[in-house]
Amino acid sequence: MCASAARLINRHTGSSIDIDQLIEDTDMQLLSYLSRPSIDYVRAVVIMASLNGGECRFMMYNALACLAASLVTRLGWHMLDARPISPDITWREWISIEIKRRTYFVVYQIDGYLSMLSDRSMTVPESRCLVHVPGSGPWWDNLGSPRISGHVPSQFDPNMSKEDVVKSGSLVHSFVDLCSLNRIISQVNDVLWKLKLGLPTYPHGDDFKPDIKFFKCYTPEDMNVTLPIRSLFEIGEFRRIHQMLDEWQRGLVSANKMKDIADTNHAFSSFGSYTHRIHQMRIRYFCLYTYSVPVMHYLHLANRPSFFETQSPNKVFADSPDVASLALTDAPENKAIYDILSNVFTERLNSGLLAYDVINESWRICVDVVYDLVRHLDCNQDIPLERYDQVMPFCLLTSMTVLIRNARICKHVIETSGDAAKVGNARDDLVRSTAALRRLWTLLGDLNHVWRVEGVEYLMRIMQVEEVVNAADLLSGLSL
């Protein structure tokens, strides 16, 4: 816990905790206790996995997250509800199971996001997850309420309205919403994998098809797609995943609408009171919205010919955006982006964050998602930075790559198009993109005292977008 809070302790108390050394020592101590796993040990691994990710120690983040997933499987927590629970279960017995259940779902959440960053399937397939979502009840979440011996919370109610969720003060719903997003992430990975391997063309040329006799599961299923296509939106599974993401985002409780109920961000009459829980709920839903932004980008940045570049992209897509005239795919800053992001993401995600040939329908979704993010941040700007979690820098970084490319595309249209209407729209979009870019860059700099964001200042300085350079100069004192 000291390692997790070290940056804030240093900032607010004047202390000088050596964060790097403390993290290294804690990581080594965790490995020394590996042979004696317990609930507390698993939770410590989860906390340190998140901390290592927030501190840009991505290989250790990978290792600890995979260790946590392996531990909960080895301990059998993915089978907690494989057998019916006795109706005569005692309070303490139920608490013991519920702790394991909630810890398992925290690991499930981390494993889901890591699977997206690592371009792999989740550690435990859904077909083997026999675990109920956590129980719920407002009196269970209210620490000030007396405990009723022999009574346990009811099962989770997925049909509760947004208004009733807020009235209940139950924090479980935001927790389950994040688990639901991870289910969607798993499906995004599966769909993109099937698209890559299941189309009638195949990498390395039309004359080559892998004939792996040992691993029969390697053979992808037939996507029943007639090539060429104009967009991945012509494929039903792609449309379905987009709709799921959109409905999930629109189904979230609005953090902004809880602003008045949450009262204050700093003082509460008692820990665990209704006001305190509403504040915690607002923070969770504020952060949950930002979780979906990189996932939406991940999905739609695959809707491009270069995603299938080893599969003769002209045979997959009927046509593509005019990338050659942009003359940007080999821009020097792309190498800097790749060098920085390759430490975090896989090749597939990296290439999407550099590509200019995204089909217009998906590109506009990517841009509009960022504009909606800026509105979300502005509506909730009273929330202290200390309450943001480590996914926020990831969200900001992917969003800024979209805005940078959009600004370049707008400038290209302004300089080359003879269509007055297109030029006017491009000018408006350029103003909006650069304003949003400045907003996100400033926030990323402010977040540096909470989560380490290495390499970003260098990256932004070589973008050669005037507004960004000005913003970088204003924040040049920060050590990013």
Side-chain angles (χ1 to χ4, degrees):
M1 296 303 293
C2 182
S4 299
R7 283 186 176 275
L8 298 181
I9 293 172
N10 286 346
R11 177 180 174 85
H12 293 292
T13 67
S15 303
S16 56
I17 299 174
D18 188 336
I19 301 173
D20 292 323
Q21 189 61 52
L22 183 57
I23 291 175
E24 290 178 8
D25 292 345
T26 307
D27 288 343
M28 291 303 297
Q29 289 178 30
L30 282 177
L31 295 178
S32 67
Y33 286 98
L34 184 57
S35 61
R36 302 188 298 278
S38 62
I39 291 177
D40 288 337
Y41 177 79
V42 174
R43 290 192 288 191
V45 171
V46 170
I47 290 173
M48 290 308 297
S50 298
L51 178 58
N52 276 275
E55 290 292 319
C56 296
R57 296 168 171 267
F58 298 111
M59 291 308 296
M60 184 57 75
Y61 166 64
N62 260 278
L64 291 178
C66 291
L67 173 59
S70 177
L71 284 171
V72 295
T73 305
R74 179 66 182 85
L75 294 170
W77 295 356
H78 64 304
M79 304 284 284
L80 279 173
D81 296 299
R83 298 178 180 178
I85 295 178
S86 170
D88 299 325
I89 187 173
T90 66
W91 172 266
R92 290 188 179 277
E93 288 172 339
W94 182 87
I95 287 292
S96 177
I97 295 174
E98 186 70 1
I99 289 173
K100 294 175 183 177
R101 186 180 286 126
R102 295 189 181 206
T103 304
Y104 172 80
F105 272 106
V106 172
V107 175
Y108 174 83
Q109 292 166 0
I110 293 177
D111 187 46
Y113 236 82
L114 184 58
S115 71
M116 181 178 72
L117 301 182
S118 305
D119 190 19
R120 63 165 175 81
S121 59
M122 294 184 65
T123 302
V124 182
E126 284 194 16
S127 60
R128 298 187 183 182
C129 294
L130 302 178
V131 190
H132 289 308
V133 293
S136 179
W139 58 269
W140 160 251
D141 291 296
N142 189 344
L143 300 182
S145 298
R147 292 290 174 256
I148 304 175
S149 177
H151 183 70
V152 298
S154 60
Q155 288 192 351
F156 177 77
D157 180 7
N159 299 315
M160 187 178 290
S161 68
K162 296 180 184 179
E163 293 76 15
D164 288 340
V165 168
V166 175
K167 289 178 182 178
S168 74
S170 174
L171 300 175
V172 172
H173 290 267
S174 58
F175 185 83
V176 175
D177 280 334
L178 181 53
C179 294
S180 298
L181 177 61
N182 277 275
R183 289 194 65 209
I184 298 175
I185 289 174
S186 177
Q187 294 181 56
V188 169
N189 281 339
D190 290 342
V191 166
L192 294 184
W193 177 258
K194 286 191 288 186
L195 285 174
K196 190 77 170 179
L197 298 182
L199 294 178
T201 59
Y202 202 86
H204 311 297
D206 295 336
D207 297 331
F208 175 77
K209 287 278 187 176
D211 184 19
I212 310 299
K213 300 183 184 302
F214 189 80
F215 294 107
K216 289 300 182 184
C217 57
Y218 185 83
T219 304
E221 65 184 68
D222 185 5
M223 298 295 294
N224 294 318
V225 177
T226 302
L227 299 181
I229 58 177
R230 293 185 301 274
S231 166
L232 292 184
F233 271 103
E234 296 179 20
I235 300 175
E237 286 200 68
F238 187 88
R239 294 195 306 271
R240 178 181 63 82
I241 294 295
H242 166 74
Q243 184 177 356
M244 288 177 62
L245 266 172
D246 184 61
E247 289 177 352
W248 181 89
Q249 194 178 69
R250 288 188 286 106
L252 292 176
V253 175
S254 171
N256 182 46
K257 291 182 179 179
M258 286 188 280
K259 185 183 298 185
D260 295 333
I261 307 176
D263 190 22
T264 173
N265 288 316
H266 304 286
F268 306 97
S269 58
S270 63
F271 182 83
S273 65
Y274 177 77
T275 303
H276 178 254
R277 285 182 288 119
I278 288 297
H279 169 69
Q280 295 293 338
M281 185 185 296
R282 184 187 176 207
I283 297 298
R284 288 189 179 188
Y285 278 109
F286 168 77
C287 292
L288 271 179
Y289 186 95
T290 68
Y291 275 62
S292 64
V293 173
V295 183
M296 191 70 84
H297 287 157
Y298 180 52
L299 175 67
H300 284 281
L301 292 176
N303 192 7
R304 54 188 168 87
S306 58
F307 182 74
F308 303 90
E309 61 184 2
T310 56
Q311 293 162 277
S312 302
N314 59 319
K315 294 182 180 181
V316 176
F317 283 81
D319 51 47
S320 62
D322 184 7
V323 178
S325 64
L326 281 169
L328 293 172
T329 52
D330 294 324
E333 65 268 19
N334 279 359
K335 184 179 185 303
I337 294 175
Y338 181 85
D339 290 343
I340 292 171
L341 300 185
S342 61
N343 292 323
V344 189
F345 312 131
T346 61
E347 177 68 28
R348 180 158 66 181
L349 186 52
N350 275 346
S351 59
L353 295 174
L354 299 176
Y356 280 86
D357 63 333
V358 180
I359 298 302
N360 188 63
E361 186 177 10
S362 281
W363 182 250
R364 290 316 310 174
I365 289 174
C366 289
V367 174
D368 290 341
V369 162
V370 179
Y371 292 158
D372 289 339
L373 170 66
V374 173
R375 281 194 292 269
H376 175 71
L377 294 172
D378 289 342
C379 288
N380 296 281
Q381 58 184 340
D382 60 305
I383 294 178
L385 295 179
E386 288 83 355
R387 308 302 293 169
Y388 291 27
D389 70 13
Q390 75 266 29
V391 173
M392 181 62 79
F394 174 38
C395 172
L396 298 180
L397 189 56
T398 61
S399 297
M400 286 194 294
T401 67
V402 170
L403 292 173
I404 289 166
R405 282 174 287 173
N406 197 54
R408 288 190 174 278
I409 292 170
C410 290
K411 285 187 174 184
H412 176 73
V413 172
I414 293 170
E415 294 168 358
T416 61
S417 178
D419 187 324
K422 284 186 177 180
V423 170
N425 290 335
R427 290 186 186 279
D428 293 340
D429 203 13
L430 178 60
V431 171
R432 196 175 182 186
S433 287
T434 51
L437 194 53
R438 182 190 295 271
R439 172 75 170 90
L440 299 187
W441 163 249
T442 302
L443 177 58
L444 187 62
D446 292 342
L447 278 174
N448 189 56
H449 73 273
V450 182
W451 302 107
R452 182 178 299 171
V453 191
E454 292 182 336
V456 175
E457 182 178 16
Y458 169 70
L459 169 63
M460 298 302 288
R461 284 185 173 279
I462 68 171
M463 287 295 100
Q464 299 175 5
V465 178
E466 183 179 357
E467 291 79 3
V468 183
V469 173
N470 289 341
D473 288 336
L474 291 173
L475 300 170
S476 60
L478 295 174
S479 177
L480 291 179

